[in-house]
Amino acid sequence: MFKSQFIKTKILVSLRYLFLIIFFPLTIIFAFFIKLIRPVLLIRWARLDNAKFGHFATNVEIYLLEKKFAIDKPKENYIDFFYKPELKISNKQLDKMWKKKLIILPWFIIYPLEWCRQKNLLFKNENYFFTTSKDRYNLYDKTKPILSFSKKEKKRGFEFLRKIGLPENTRFVCMHVRDGAYHPQKSFAYHDYRNCDVENFKSACKFLSSKNIYVIRMGSKVGKKISYSDPKIIDYATNGMRTDFLDIFLSSECLFWISTGSGIDQMSKLFRKPHLNVNQVPIGHVATYQKKSLIVFKHFFDKKTNDKLNIDMLKLKNLCFATTADEFENKNVVIRENNENEIKSATKEIFFRVDNNFWDMWDETKDKQKKFWNKFPYQKEFHGKIVANIGKEFLIDNENFYN
C-alpha cells in the first residue's frame, strides 16, 4: 500500500514539472501581460491550503466574506487568482464547490510567478495576498452560508440518511474526536497534545440518544471504533460508508457539532451550525467570534508538583498560543483531557441552548464569564469581538483557572 502510494506520488510530481516545462512559454506571456495591464488592473494570487481540510474550508470562506464587505480591498481594479500547491486534495467535494466561487489556475502557471515574486524579480508584494482562518470581523454571524447543494446532491444526501436508519426530519449531531490516527506520521507528532479519547464521549452520546438525537461520528481517519452500542450512535467514520461528499452534506444538515478541534469541524462555521468545542488547547487559538459557540478547555498541570495551572501561569510560561507538544513538555506542563462528566454536562448545556435558541450568558455565571474573558489572552489577529461562551459548569468548577 505504502509503496504504491509512493509510486503514484512520484508520477504526479513528475507530471507537474513536465507541465511546468511544457507550459513555460505560456507562463512567460502571462507574466508580461500582467505587467502590461498593471496601470489599469492589478493581478493578485494566493495559495489554497488544499491539503488541510480546516484551512481549505475557512480560509476561503473568510476571503469571500471579507471581499463581500470590501475589507482590505485594493483601491484599484483587481482580479484574484488561486493555485493549489499540494498534490493532495483534503476533500474533493469541497474542492468542487470552491471551483464555482474562485478562479483557480494550475500550479504550473502560478508557481513560476510566485517564485519570481519571492526573489523580487518582475513582481512585487502587491501581487500576492494572504488568507486567514480567523473571523476577525465577526462576519459568520452577519451572513448566511456561501456554499449550497444542488437538488440532486440533496436528494443523494437524504437517501443516505434513510439508508442508515434515520427517519425523515430526524435531528442528528456531528461529532469528531481527534486522535493519533488523524496525523500518524512522526512529522506531525508535535500535534499529539490535541488528541483525545472517544470513550470519554460515551455519556454525552447516550444523553443525546435519550433525547432522540442521533449522533454521527465523523472522521476520515480514526484510531478505534466506538465501543458503546446504541442504535442512535452511528460510527460513520469506521462503517465503510464515509465519502467526501457526505462529510460536507452531513455537516450542512446537522443540528450542531461536538468536537475537539480539527479540520473537519470547521464545517460548523461554513454552515453556521452551533458548536460545542471541548478539550480546547491552546487557549489563545479558540474560536471566540461565533455567538453559537460553547467552549471547554483541557486542564494544565505542573509536571513536577502536579499543581493545576491557571491562565496567568500559562501567560508567564508563554503557552497561551503554543502550537507544539514540545513547548508544553519543555515547560514541564502536562495536559489532561476533559473527563466524561465534563463532556456530558457541556453537551447538556449546548442541547438546551440549541433547543431554546438561548445564547446569552447565564445569570448565575455572568460575572464568572466576564472575569474569564477579562483574563483571556486576547490578540486582535486571532479574535474579533468575543461573543462565544465558556461552558457553565466549567466556569463553576474551575474558578481558579481564571481568577
Side-chain angles (χ1 to χ4, degrees):
M1 178 67 179
F2 175 78
K3 186 176 180 180
S4 62
Q5 183 62 40
F6 177 76
I7 293 172
K8 181 181 177 182
T9 300
K10 292 286 285 185
I11 292 172
L12 290 174
V13 170
S14 299
L15 286 173
R16 264 195 162 192
Y17 283 97
L18 177 60
F19 286 138
L20 179 67
I21 295 169
I22 293 173
F23 288 94
F24 192 67
L26 179 61
T27 303
I28 293 175
I29 295 171
F30 186 45
F32 280 105
F33 176 74
I34 292 172
K35 295 297 290 184
L36 182 65
I37 65 170
R38 175 59 188 91
V40 294
L41 185 68
L42 171 63
I43 300 294
R44 307 192 305 171
W45 55 82
R47 57 173 285 149
L48 291 169
D49 282 319
N50 52 289
K52 299 178 180 179
F53 200 155
H55 288 288
F56 195 32
T58 52
N59 285 49
V60 178
E61 178 88 357
I62 293 298
Y63 161 78
L64 291 171
L65 290 176
E66 290 187 353
K67 183 178 181 180
K68 178 181 179 180
F69 285 85
I71 296 170
D72 295 330
K73 179 182 177 182
K75 295 179 181 179
E76 58 269 81
N77 293 325
Y78 72 100
I79 295 178
D80 289 342
F81 295 110
F82 289 86
Y83 71 104
K84 302 170 191 172
E86 305 292 338
L87 291 172
K88 177 186 175 184
I89 302 295
S90 56
N91 186 284
K92 292 179 181 178
Q93 174 65 25
L94 186 59
D95 185 49
K96 173 185 174 183
M97 298 172 93
W98 283 146
K99 285 178 180 176
K100 298 176 182 178
K101 305 291 182 181
L102 307 172
I103 305 175
I104 303 174
L105 295 183
W107 170 86
F108 53 80
I109 295 294
I110 298 295
Y111 174 74
L113 307 183
E114 176 57 12
W115 185 89
C116 288
R117 185 194 70 84
Q118 292 182 16
K119 300 295 182 181
N120 294 316
L121 299 173
L122 201 61
F123 299 109
K124 303 175 182 178
N125 287 338
E126 68 172 6
N127 295 110
Y128 188 87
F129 63 98
F130 292 91
T131 61
T132 179
S133 62
K134 308 299 183 182
D135 185 11
R136 300 163 296 176
Y137 302 97
N138 298 85
L139 301 179
Y140 286 133
D141 285 348
K142 299 174 185 176
T143 57
K144 294 181 179 180
I146 291 173
L147 295 179
S148 61
F149 291 92
S150 67
K151 289 183 179 179
K152 185 178 179 181
E153 287 174 323
K154 284 187 175 182
K155 181 182 178 182
R156 178 181 163 196
F158 286 120
E159 283 176 352
F160 169 78
L161 290 176
R162 287 193 291 273
K163 181 179 179 180
I164 61 175
L166 270 70
E168 192 173 351
N169 298 322
T170 298
R171 300 190 297 177
F172 68 91
V173 166
C174 286
M175 180 183 78
H176 183 259
V177 181
R178 180 190 179 114
D179 61 24
Y182 186 71
H183 279 307
Q185 308 95 319
K186 287 186 178 180
S187 58
F188 283 95
Y190 66 92
H191 272 308
D192 286 352
Y193 69 99
R194 298 169 63 186
N195 295 339
C196 303
D197 187 354
V198 71
E199 293 300 313
N200 290 333
F201 290 74
K202 178 179 179 179
S203 294
C205 291
K206 291 288 187 180
F207 163 75
L208 291 171
S209 175
S210 72
K211 297 296 182 180
N212 202 32
I213 305 292
Y214 281 72
V215 179
I216 299 180
R217 192 241 190 134
M218 308 290 285
S220 60
K221 294 179 182 179
V222 295
K224 61 183 178 181
K225 294 182 179 181
I226 290 176
S227 67
Y228 31 101
S229 177
D230 188 297
K232 291 189 177 69
I233 301 173
I234 300 169
D235 202 349
Y236 160 78
T238 67
N239 67 6
M241 295 182 175
R242 195 211 71 82
T243 68
D244 285 359
F245 166 75
L246 289 171
D247 282 353
I248 309 301
F249 176 79
L250 294 172
S251 300
S252 73
E253 293 294 331
C254 69
L255 181 63
F256 61 86
W257 266 87
I258 302 174
S259 73
T260 59
S262 62
I264 192 172
D265 66 18
Q266 299 305 300
M267 300 311 298
S268 68
K269 298 181 176 68
L270 268 63
F271 291 107
R272 314 302 191 262
K273 297 296 181 179
H275 193 171
L276 170 58
N277 305 269
V278 297
N279 282 310
Q280 292 300 286
V281 60
I283 66 171
H285 281 293
V286 295
T288 59
Y289 34 74
Q290 281 182 284
K291 184 72 173 176
K292 295 181 179 181
S293 178
L294 192 66
I295 301 168
V296 175
F297 296 94
K298 282 190 175 184
H299 303 285
F300 306 88
F301 292 85
D302 186 288
K303 189 176 183 179
K304 295 179 179 178
T305 65
N306 204 37
D307 291 335
K308 194 169 184 180
L309 305 179
N310 60 27
I311 293 177
D312 284 333
M313 295 171 184
L314 293 176
K315 287 179 179 179
L316 287 172
K317 292 176 179 289
N318 293 318
L319 292 176
C320 291
F321 296 90
T323 56
T324 69
D326 283 346
E327 289 177 83
F328 290 99
E329 180 67 26
N330 293 338
K331 298 291 177 68
N332 293 310
V333 173
V334 175
I335 303 172
R336 295 176 188 165
E337 296 179 44
N338 298 133
N339 61 42
E340 196 170 340
N341 287 332
E342 286 179 297
I343 296 170
K344 181 182 178 181
S345 67
T347 301
K348 284 184 173 181
E349 179 179 351
I350 197 165
F351 174 74
F352 177 89
R353 286 179 175 276
V354 171
D355 238 22
N356 294 276
N357 196 26
F358 174 74
W359 300 103
D360 293 328
M361 298 180 188
W362 300 98
D363 287 341
E364 56 265 49
T365 55
K366 186 176 291 186
D367 289 340
K368 291 179 173 61
Q369 193 84 226
K370 290 178 180 178
K371 279 184 180 180
F372 178 90
W373 290 121
N374 285 335
K375 187 74 68 171
F376 183 74
Y378 180 90
Q379 288 190 15
K380 175 61 179 175
E381 61 265 37
F382 298 122
H383 308 278
K385 178 183 177 183
I386 293 178
V387 293
N389 277 292
I390 305 302
K392 178 181 177 181
E393 295 302 321
F394 182 87
L395 287 172
I396 293 171
D397 295 341
N398 298 277
E399 286 194 65
N400 289 336
F401 185 56
Y402 55 90
N403 277 336

